[in-house]
Amino acid sequence: MKNLIVILTLLISTISLAQSESKLSPYISTGVSIGNDNGTDSTFSEMSCASIELGVMYENLSFAVVTGLNSFSTADTIGEYFYEGKVAVSTSLGYVDGFALAGVGSFFGRGDVFIEYGLGISKEFKDFGTFVQVSNWNGTVYVTPGVYLNL
C-alpha cells in the first residue's frame, strides 16, 4: 500500500510539473559599460566597452554567454576582446525587476581570467526591455545601461 501511495504521489507531482507555465525563454542583450577611471586621466574610449549577450531565462534564473570589447580605444587588438559565462537571478521590485549577477571569463589570445559581480534593475515592455547595472568587472566598477529583446 505504501508503494502505491508513493507512486500516485510521484505521478500527481509529475503531472503538476508538466502543466506549469514555466519554460526556457531565450534573449539577446547589448550594452555599453562606462568604467570608473580610479582617479587616472583616462578618456571615455579608454574606460568604456561594448558587449553582446545571448542567454536563456528560466523563471527568475538566467544563464548567458557574453562577448565584447575591453576598451573602445583598443578595438584593433584581438587580446582586448573577451568572452564570459554569466548567471543572474532576478526578483520583482514592483514597477521594475532587480537582479544580481556573477560571471567568469577570459580574453581571446590571453590567459587572463576575470570575474564579474554586480546588481541592476530592469524594466520590460512586452518582449523588449531596458536595464542598468553596476558591476565590478575585472577589478573596475562599471555602470552599464543596455537593452534586451526576448526571442
Side-chain angles (χ1 to χ4, degrees):
M1 185 65 173
K2 286 182 185 179
N3 288 340
L4 182 57
I5 292 172
V6 169
I7 290 172
L8 286 174
T9 302
L10 290 173
L11 181 60
I12 291 169
S13 298
T14 304
I15 292 169
S16 298
L17 288 173
Q19 292 177 350
S20 72
E21 296 289 326
S22 297
K23 62 178 182 156
L24 288 177
S25 303
Y27 69 91
I28 186 168
S29 168
T30 188
V32 174
S33 298
I34 304 161
N36 176 2
D37 71 359
N38 297 319
T40 65
D41 288 331
S42 299
T43 65
F44 174 82
S45 66
E46 291 170 333
M47 292 303 300
S48 300
C49 60
S51 64
I52 188 165
E53 178 174 325
L54 295 171
V56 293
M57 179 168 248
Y58 179 76
E59 293 184 2
N60 67 336
L61 282 174
S62 65
F63 304 92
V65 292
V66 185
T67 189
L69 177 60
N70 186 35
S71 169
F72 288 132
S73 66
T74 57
D76 58 345
T77 307
I78 190 67
E80 294 300 317
Y81 288 82
F82 69 89
Y83 57 93
E84 177 182 9
K86 189 185 291 187
V87 62
V89 60
S90 64
T91 187
S92 176
L93 300 175
Y95 183 70
V96 296
D97 291 332
F99 61 90
L101 64 100
V104 64
S106 187
F107 296 91
F108 293 103
R110 293 181 6 200
D112 303 10
V113 174
F114 63 83
I115 61 169
E116 178 183 19
Y117 55 92
L119 300 170
I121 56 171
S122 64
K123 176 64 179 165
E124 189 168 312
F125 308 94
K126 277 198 160 189
D127 290 332
F128 170 81
T130 185
F131 67 89
V132 64
Q133 73 183 40
V134 176
S135 62
N136 184 307
W137 188 89
N138 201 23
T140 301
V141 175
Y142 285 88
V143 174
T144 306
V147 295
Y148 63 91
L149 178 65
N150 294 323
L151 303 175

